[in-house]
Amino acid sequence: MTSTSEARPARQSVGDWFRNQLSNIAPFLTLLFLVAFFSFASSSFMSFGNLQNILQQVSITAIIAVGLTFVILTAEIDLSVASVANATGIVVAFFTLQDASVNIANIPLAGGFAIILAIATCVALGGITAIGVTRIGIPSFIMTLAMLQICDGISAMLVRGQIAYAVPSLVGELGSGSIFGIPWLIIVAALALLIGHVVLTYTRFGRYVYMVGGNREAAEYSGVNVKLIIAAVLMISAFCSGLAGMLGVAYFGSAQQNEFGTYLLDAIAAVVVGGTSLFGGRGGIGNTIIGLFVLGVLNNGLDHINIDSFLKILIRGLILLAALIINIYAERLRVSRSASH
Amino acid sequence: MDEAAIRLKMSHISKSFGGVEALRGVDFTLRRGEIHALVGENGAGKSTLMKIIAGVHAGFEGEMLLDGAPVHFHSARDALKHGIGMVHQELSVVPQLTVAENVYLGVQPITRLGAVDWAAMNKGAREQLQKLGLDLDPRMILGDLPIGIQQLVELSRVLFSGASIIILDEPTSALSPPEIERLFRSLRSLRDQGNSIIFISHFLEDVLAIADEITIFRNGRKVVAAPVTPEIDKAWIIQRMIGKGHEELESSYLGDITLASPKGARTVLEAEGLSKAGAFRDVSLTVKGGEILGIYGFMGCGQIELARALFGKLKCDAGLLKLDGAPHKLSNTARAAKAGIAYVPESRRSMLFHHEPIYKNTSIAILERLSRLWLKPDAERKIARQHIESLSIKTPGTEALLGNLSGGNQQKVGVAKWLTYLPKVLILSEPTRGMDVGAKEDVVKIVRNLRDQGVGIIIFSTEPETVLSLADRIMVMRKGTVSQEFADETISKDRLLAAA
């Protein structure tokens, strides 16, 4: 009896540490494993040029994932991110003078106005989502699904099956230009991640985001305006998506419908693979960065080892499933531990 | 008593949770055809012992003999197979299902074709419930019925399951006096058929009315076991339940408290005609600075909803609220907190962040005053240290996760988070539920201390002892309305209960 009760605390604390860190350790090990694997399997993978490739490839996803991290930390979800990005990219092109060959009945404005209108559009879309979720009480899963469709509709109405190419010069520079050999897109994505991290970690608002996600009822009983926080994260998410959408149009070189199709899944995967809890309250931008690298290395590495491109899609799905399983188990371990007290 | 009549014999039972001993070498004997009451303060170990008997806690030390043969149950199902059924304190009904489905939960009768035999189920459920004096349509959705009826439905499920040893944990807490009388009639008839019933209750009147045998627990130990004879009364039980040196608490159990409201204090909170459909109607109350208003009522009388409404968590249909004489809109909890209303809900789970360190728990409600934009973790830790010291919270430090604290210490953190800047009004819902004697007295001290500093305090409780030991003025709620108010007079528990 005495010996077991003495041995127990030590064993518990190691176990506790592991359980608490499981959601952080697992993604990092996954990343190390993938890097090691592709370095071994392909001679062209490990190079500075390819690192820049990877960074550039994940930049658009990264900007979207910053906003999505806020949303998922509050235990909500935003399924409209890619569609908001698409609609915002099309809006900025819609208000830009296009080449005569482009058959769109658009309204050319000065570049600054086009950008302001595009940002106003994505924030307004986020505002509608926020009202639906917090005022009317529609679950975010359903509300953002509706917004996904609405944004796709806006995109379709504006381009009517055509493709626009021109964007304001500022957007064009940030999306496809570079400075000292570093693409602006990478810099913008890094800044977005940095700002997201600082807000989440060092500001009062960031604390509220974690507390609302950790225990919504307790936050409300502590006098936190939970609805305001949720509205704010949904609007931050829409803003990030809009920013990504504008830069994406410049990065891809065109604005057309359905060009952000894969980004919804990629952004959610990056956040969740990184270890941010789908139940809210745990994780953060650091996790999202790891998740972005896992996805980026995976997508890029699979290109380097000359794998069947159809198999690639399946592998991505399996990796996401594995991450979800770890996410759920990490949460379950934590809950069972706290319940034993 | 001959040995053959002994159904269950437990010897030297010990059980600990994470280093905290819940039971220390306890003996317990249950005979055929007896109603055996188990009393003790919260945390005395009675529920733990019962959960061992019912197979909920599989790991324990000591010996358990059922009908003379050693047994060790590994699950509730295991215990049920041996004829042991338990009704837990927390309702475990499924509110979305019908009354009949709840009565037959897990044991639905099946027709020859393998479908659910609804006719048999509804008929059987109706008959069972009639034995408890309930005449209701078994096809009704259980969640639509009052909480007392839900409790009776849950009781009937176990009472008539064929179990020969039935454990009831606080079965009467949500029941009205006539419902209790009907329950007792059923229990006596089950006993007379040779079943054994273990009856856990805080309501000593109920214990004295129903029990044949009584066992008293204190701090994880058995104090005494005795047949209930006319010499045994409440005072006798209480003395053994709480031991020596708790005279103040003891007096609150025995009644005759003299209420004295503070003279000349200003009114801080004034509510007029608050109504909420299905919960409470036309409730008016005032609280003065430096006064403790106790609001007592049975479970489900609307007082929990009223407490939430005062904090803006629940929207009222009608009514006015004034704070320091100025109208206050009850739109959300953030507004209430900002205006100086603090609220400690009845469940720790809904007021604390178990996966966060203590300092984040004590600062959450005052972050707005600590920081505009940037967090100041050092200031938060300093505040946490002050609270840990002044409320003597037992913890390794400010970084300890809240979930690793004991229940009583968690409760203190829940109160502490409102104390850095004194609120105008502090609302406490069930402030001492689930606490041991020591933690209870700490809470009483903290609350009195706040009152003396001029805070207006409202205590909502379904435990008469809590209200009696704390309140300067008492309002009693019955079925959503205020039925009586006691001020500047001497009051006993009997009068309080009579008004509810």
Side-chain angles (χ1 to χ4, degrees):
Chain A
M1 171 68 207
T2 333
S3 63
T4 49
S5 66
E6 269 168 13
R8 212 168 150 194
R11 197 180 63 219
Q12 259 190 349
S13 63
V14 173
D16 275 7
W17 180 84
F18 180 74
R19 284 166 177 175
N20 272 320
Q21 296 300 318
L22 180 64
S23 56
N24 296 327
I25 296 167
F28 193 68
L29 290 180
T30 310
L31 179 60
L32 288 183
F33 169 77
L34 287 175
V35 169
F37 174 76
F38 287 122
S39 309
F40 181 74
S42 149
S43 55
S44 56
F45 177 77
M46 246 341 205
S47 75
F48 185 76
N50 195 40
L51 176 66
Q52 184 167 324
N53 274 342
I54 293 174
L55 291 178
Q56 203 163 358
Q57 282 161 3
V58 298
S59 286
I60 302 280
T61 314
I63 299 169
I64 296 175
V66 169
L68 203 56
T69 305
F70 279 79
V71 176
I72 292 181
L73 278 175
T74 62
E76 298 286 344
I77 189 71
D78 187 349
L79 300 177
S80 68
V81 284
S83 300
V84 171
N86 202 353
T88 310
I90 285 173
V91 165
V92 84
F94 186 79
F95 290 117
T96 307
L97 183 63
Q98 298 291 337
D99 197 76
S101 64
V102 176
N103 187 19
I104 293 179
N106 69 333
I107 307 164
L109 295 170
F113 286 115
I115 295 172
I116 289 169
L117 278 173
I119 290 175
T121 302
C122 66
V123 172
L125 290 170
I128 295 168
T129 306
I131 289 170
V133 172
T134 60
R135 290 273 149 219
I136 306 172
I138 307 169
S140 59
F141 180 83
I142 302 296
M143 182 66 205
T144 57
L145 206 55
M147 283 308 288
L148 177 156
Q149 192 66 33
I150 288 169
C151 293
D152 285 352
I154 292 171
S155 301
M157 295 292 288
L158 289 182
V159 290
R160 296 189 160 274
Q162 302 293 313
I163 300 174
Y165 299 96
V167 290
S169 57
L170 175 65
V171 173
E173 180 65 19
L174 290 178
S176 56
S178 53
I179 183 169
F180 306 127
I182 303 169
W184 272 112
L185 189 57
I186 295 177
I187 297 173
V188 173
L191 274 177
L193 287 164
L194 179 69
I195 293 170
H197 177 70
V198 168
V199 169
L200 279 175
T201 316
Y202 299 107
T203 70
R204 183 158 62 93
F205 173 72
R207 174 70 64 76
Y208 286 152
V209 168
Y210 277 98
M211 296 309 237
V212 166
N215 187 344
R216 180 167 302 185
E217 204 182 8
E220 198 172 356
Y221 278 131
S222 303
V224 175
N225 196 334
V226 171
K227 288 181 174 174
L228 192 70
I229 301 296
I230 288 172
V233 296
L234 288 168
M235 289 177 73
I236 287 171
S237 174
F239 172 79
C240 290
S241 301
L243 181 63
M246 282 195 285
L247 301 187
V249 166
Y251 178 63
F252 303 136
S254 68
Q256 53 184 307
Q257 231 195 307
N258 298 333
E259 72 181 343
F260 287 83
T262 62
Y263 282 81
L264 169 60
L265 206 61
D266 273 5
I268 292 177
V271 176
V272 177
V273 168
T276 293
S277 168
L278 283 167
F279 302 94
R282 285 174 63 90
I285 297 292
N287 295 75
T288 299
I289 291 174
I290 300 288
L292 285 164
F293 272 111
V294 169
L295 281 193
V297 167
L298 187 68
N299 284 339
N300 176 285
L302 290 175
D303 289 340
H304 279 261
I305 58 169
N306 228 346
I307 197 170
D308 180 357
S309 64
F310 298 105
L311 182 59
K312 207 174 134 177
I313 303 172
L314 180 61
I315 290 178
R316 280 159 41 94
L318 292 175
I319 294 277
L320 180 60
L321 178 62
L324 288 171
I325 291 170
I326 291 172
N327 197 301
I328 302 289
Y329 270 100
E331 184 69 23
R332 206 173 285 167
L333 277 174
R334 251 159 32 80
V335 169
S336 70
R337 191 212 52 176
S338 73
S340 71
H341 279 278
Chain B
M1 291 278 168
D2 57 315
E3 284 295 307
I6 293 178
R7 296 274 346 252
L8 189 69
K9 190 174 175 65
M10 307 188 70
S11 326
H12 313 297
I13 303 290
S14 294
K15 165 88 188 161
S16 55
F17 297 98
V20 180
E21 279 195 299
L23 287 175
R24 280 177 276 190
V26 169
D27 297 336
F28 178 74
T29 306
L30 181 70
R31 292 186 175 80
R32 185 179 307 280
E34 77 174 2
I35 299 177
H36 194 136
L38 226 56
V39 296
E41 287 285 308
N42 288 311
K46 41 192 203 308
S47 289
T48 307
L49 184 68
M50 290 309 108
K51 283 179 180 170
I52 287 174
I53 298 177
V56 178
H57 294 320
F60 63 92
E61 288 170 46
E63 191 188 37
M64 176 153 85
L65 296 176
L66 180 66
D67 298 323
V71 283
H72 193 140
F73 303 134
H74 295 280
S75 69
R77 187 174 284 268
D78 212 5
L80 202 58
K81 263 190 247 158
H82 287 81
I84 299 176
M86 176 164 182
V87 180
H88 293 269
Q89 194 171 0
E90 305 83 26
L91 276 182
S92 61
V93 293
V94 187
Q96 293 85 357
L97 297 182
T98 65
V99 170
E101 283 173 294
N102 271 289
V103 170
Y104 283 98
L105 207 62
V107 290
Q108 286 166 326
I110 302 287
T111 63
R112 259 180 306 169
L113 292 173
V116 172
D117 191 346
W118 287 95
M121 200 159 98
N122 288 335
K123 186 164 170 281
R126 170 161 248 152
E127 284 170 7
Q128 282 193 17
L129 291 172
Q130 268 166 354
K131 289 189 204 162
L132 287 175
L134 274 185
D135 193 18
L136 48 85
D137 185 345
R139 290 167 302 182
M140 284 166 83
I141 298 296
L142 189 66
D144 295 342
L145 297 166
I147 203 91
I149 292 187
Q150 294 187 28
Q151 176 136 23
L152 286 172
V153 169
E154 172 156 15
L155 282 165
S156 86
R157 186 165 81 207
V158 177
L159 290 185
F160 306 113
S161 66
S164 57
I165 295 179
I166 298 165
I167 305 168
L168 305 172
D169 194 354
E170 294 288 354
T172 58
S173 59
L175 301 183
S176 67
E179 287 167 340
I180 292 175
E181 200 32 62
R182 283 196 291 267
L183 171 67
F184 283 2
R185 226 175 292 149
S186 296
L187 294 184
R188 288 191 190 105
S189 112
L190 283 166
R191 170 194 64 191
D192 296 341
Q193 292 160 27
N195 299 299
S196 308
I197 294 164
I198 303 175
F199 184 89
I200 303 178
S201 182
H202 276 111
F203 298 95
L204 301 182
E205 294 85 352
D206 292 346
V207 168
L208 291 169
I210 189 77
D212 307 313
E213 188 86 14
I214 183 168
T215 297
I216 299 175
F217 278 74
R218 183 167 76 230
N219 290 335
R221 289 179 198 279
K222 186 182 92 174
V223 178
V224 66
V228 177
T229 55
E231 294 85 66
I232 290 182
D233 61 2
K234 266 166 75 181
W236 188 92
I237 298 175
I238 290 164
Q239 255 174 24
R240 281 152 188 82
M241 229 167 84
I242 59 185
K244 298 264 175 286
H246 298 287
E247 284 74 17
E248 202 169 358
L249 203 68
E250 189 171 342
S251 70
S252 73
Y253 278 83
L254 292 171
D256 291 357
I257 301 280
T258 304
L259 301 170
S261 35
K263 297 281 171 271
R266 75 208 147 73
T267 299
V268 285
L269 182 134
E270 205 176 340
E272 231 174 274
L274 295 182
S275 292
K276 168 82 190 168
F280 53 84
R281 45 182 201 286
D282 201 23
V283 173
S284 298
L285 56 89
T286 60
V287 187
K288 291 179 181 144
E291 177 191 47
I292 303 175
L293 169 65
I295 298 184
Y296 170 76
F298 292 129
M299 209 179 283
C301 74
Q303 92 269 48
I304 286 177
E305 290 84 354
L306 178 62
R308 285 182 191 165
L310 290 175
F311 191 56
K313 177 76 165 71
L314 195 72
K315 270 221 171 74
C316 286
D317 302 331
L320 274 174
L321 194 76
K322 283 185 190 165
L323 209 56
D324 274 343
H328 170 72
K329 239 179 101 184
L330 289 164
S331 48
N332 60 42
T333 60
R335 188 191 281 268
K338 207 166 185 167
I341 303 178
Y343 181 66
V344 181
E346 59 283 352
S347 129
R348 287 192 288 273
R349 203 152 277 287
S350 58
M351 70 170 152
L352 294 164
F353 303 87
H354 288 249
H355 304 307
E356 300 285 354
I358 290 178
Y359 81 89
K360 290 188 185 174
N361 273 285
T362 50
S363 69
I364 179 72
I366 51 157
L367 274 184
E368 211 168 335
R369 299 176 75 154
L370 281 182
S371 75
R372 247 186 106 71
L373 174 64
W374 303 108
L375 289 171
K376 298 191 177 62
D378 288 334
E380 291 177 46
R381 291 192 178 97
K382 199 175 143 203
I383 286 167
R385 271 194 294 277
Q386 284 165 2
H387 290 311
I388 288 171
E389 194 167 324
S390 67
L391 302 183
S392 44
I393 296 168
K394 287 194 195 79
T395 167
T398 58
E399 307 300 306
L401 294 188
L402 184 99
N404 294 341
L405 267 57
S406 74
N409 284 303
Q410 289 183 8
Q411 184 85 6
K412 286 184 192 172
V413 174
V415 180
K417 73 176 177 189
W418 295 109
L419 303 187
T420 313
Y421 302 101
L422 277 190
K424 290 190 182 107
V425 180
L426 173 63
I427 300 166
L428 298 143
S429 185
E430 301 288 3
T432 55
R433 186 149 82 185
M435 291 187 153
D436 60 32
V437 183
K440 243 178 206 177
E441 291 203 331
D442 282 347
V443 168
V444 169
K445 253 181 250 159
I446 293 166
V447 171
R448 289 210 174 122
N449 186 18
L450 286 170
R451 173 198 52 197
D452 297 341
Q453 292 177 58
V455 179
I457 295 168
I458 312 177
I459 285 177
F460 289 86
S461 185
T462 53
E463 294 176 6
E465 294 80 13
T466 304
V467 175
L468 287 169
S469 62
L470 275 166
D472 300 317
R473 188 155 57 84
I474 297 175
M475 285 168 73
V476 181
M477 280 183 77
R478 181 168 56 197
K479 290 178 183 157
T481 57
V482 175
S483 63
Q484 205 165 347
E485 182 170 342
F486 299 98
D488 297 309
E489 59 186 300
T490 302
I491 179 174
S492 63
K493 191 172 156 186
D494 300 340
R495 289 185 60 202
L496 196 61
L497 286 170

